[in-house]
Amino acid sequence: DVNHYYVLNSESDELAIYANGEVVKTYSDVYDENSIRDEDDNIYYVVRTGSSSKDRKTSVIKADGTEIFTNNLGFSIRAITKDGSVLAYDYGCSYNCPNDEEREEGYYLYDKDGKRIYDRTYRISNIGQGYFVAQSGNTYYDENVKYTLLDSQGKELISGTEYTEFAVEDHGMLLARKPEGGSSYKYKYVLLNKEYKPVVEFDADGVELTDNYLRIKDGEKYRYFLLKDSKEFFSE
């Protein structure tokens, strides 16, 4: 924004972060940079430095210049939550790993202090509001792919589930999708309450989501659920 920004000198690979017109942080030997926002639209800068794979480093910096995360593996930062947890992607040894040839490509979660809170997995997706979904294997090659719902601290809320996708709104209610009858092309949607227990299943068609309730078509009738507690309050 107009009060917080960074400037890169591409000739010298030096970067300066400005806050309210003043330089608050500088980096040299920069080879990649971008900005990223959390769920509350707070801005962070991601700066990757190092002239070779031996001295690669990735840093995440708040708009005021405070560095909240650094890792010497040269991670790519994919998402950050409002409580400071970081979703990182490690390229593994596809980019030369001297003395560390066993490093595998994959996703990790770190907390705001840089501590790893969820170990490597094939894919982790940020679905917003402090939730992540971890996928155990490659969808195209593994027959028994499983999905795990995580909070922003890496705690497993739903483990090894048949659900394949999740969506979450500001009110905390969860919608999940699962294959129907073993088919990978036909799905049912499931409404989960705050304890992550299924409340009702319904088809994808005829779903209406408002600020206060969910309206779904169930056979020949419509059913209404309050978003604050996922309770059914009316049907017609």
Side-chain angles (χ1 to χ4, degrees):
D1 58 34
V2 295
N3 296 314
H4 303 89
Y5 53 91
Y6 64 78
V7 177
L8 176 69
N9 184 334
S10 58
E11 293 183 359
S12 62
D13 292 330
E14 294 181 342
L15 182 141
I17 295 175
Y18 286 78
N20 299 313
E22 301 290 334
V23 176
V24 293
K25 198 79 173 181
T26 60
Y27 291 88
S28 58
D29 213 6
V30 175
Y31 73 94
D32 186 46
E33 77 290 327
N34 65 283
S35 62
I36 191 170
R37 295 178 183 267
D38 64 19
E39 295 109 327
D40 285 345
D41 210 33
N42 298 309
I43 191 170
Y44 299 81
Y45 304 114
V46 179
V47 180
R48 302 172 73 188
T49 59
S51 57
S52 69
S53 59
K54 293 182 180 180
D55 55 2
R56 289 281 193 252
K57 187 173 78 168
T58 298
S59 301
V60 179
I61 309 100
K62 292 174 66 175
D64 63 4
T66 304
E67 190 170 286
I68 65 167
F69 176 86
T70 184
N71 190 291
N72 61 4
L73 293 179
F75 282 168
S76 172
I77 305 301
R78 300 300 175 87
I80 185 167
T81 65
K82 57 187 176 184
D83 59 5
S85 293
V86 172
L87 172 60
Y89 180 74
D90 183 2
Y91 288 97
C93 288
S94 57
Y95 285 100
N96 186 20
C97 301
N99 305 317
D100 194 11
E101 283 73 19
E102 299 301 318
R103 255 180 57 220
E104 293 185 272
E105 188 174 356
Y107 289 80
Y108 298 82
L109 278 180
Y110 288 82
D111 66 12
K112 61 182 179 61
D113 298 317
K115 178 183 176 183
R116 186 185 297 176
I117 55 177
Y118 201 80
D119 211 346
R120 177 197 170 273
T121 189
Y122 176 77
R123 178 176 287 115
I124 300 178
S125 302
N126 175 25
I127 62 172
Q129 306 303 321
Y131 289 95
F132 295 90
V133 176
Q135 180 180 324
S136 63
N138 189 323
T139 309
Y140 298 103
Y141 300 106
D142 299 335
E143 293 182 0
N144 298 312
V145 172
K146 295 294 183 181
Y147 298 83
T148 300
L149 181 68
L150 310 169
D151 66 12
S152 62
Q153 296 305 305
K155 180 182 178 181
E156 296 188 353
L157 305 175
I158 303 177
S159 303
T161 179
E162 61 184 339
Y163 303 139
T164 61
E165 290 182 3
F166 294 88
V168 62
E169 302 294 332
D170 292 344
H171 43 70
M173 185 192 70
L174 281 162
L175 292 174
R177 190 175 78 157
K178 72 173 185 177
E180 183 182 10
S183 171
S184 59
Y185 300 100
K186 190 175 182 181
Y187 295 91
K188 282 281 190 180
Y189 279 75
V190 184
L191 175 64
L192 306 174
N193 62 20
K194 292 183 179 180
E195 287 73 43
Y196 314 108
K197 304 297 184 183
V199 177
V200 64
E201 292 187 3
F202 54 92
D203 294 323
D205 296 331
V207 180
E208 179 185 350
L209 188 64
T210 74
D211 291 337
N212 299 309
Y213 65 86
L214 175 76
R215 176 180 184 260
I216 65 172
K217 186 176 182 181
D218 186 7
E220 296 300 319
K221 66 178 181 179
Y222 289 92
R223 302 171 68 184
Y224 296 78
F225 295 82
L226 290 173
L227 298 187
K228 63 180 181 179
D229 55 15
S230 303
K231 290 184 178 179
E232 184 173 1
F233 67 92
F234 182 69
S235 65
E236 61 176 351

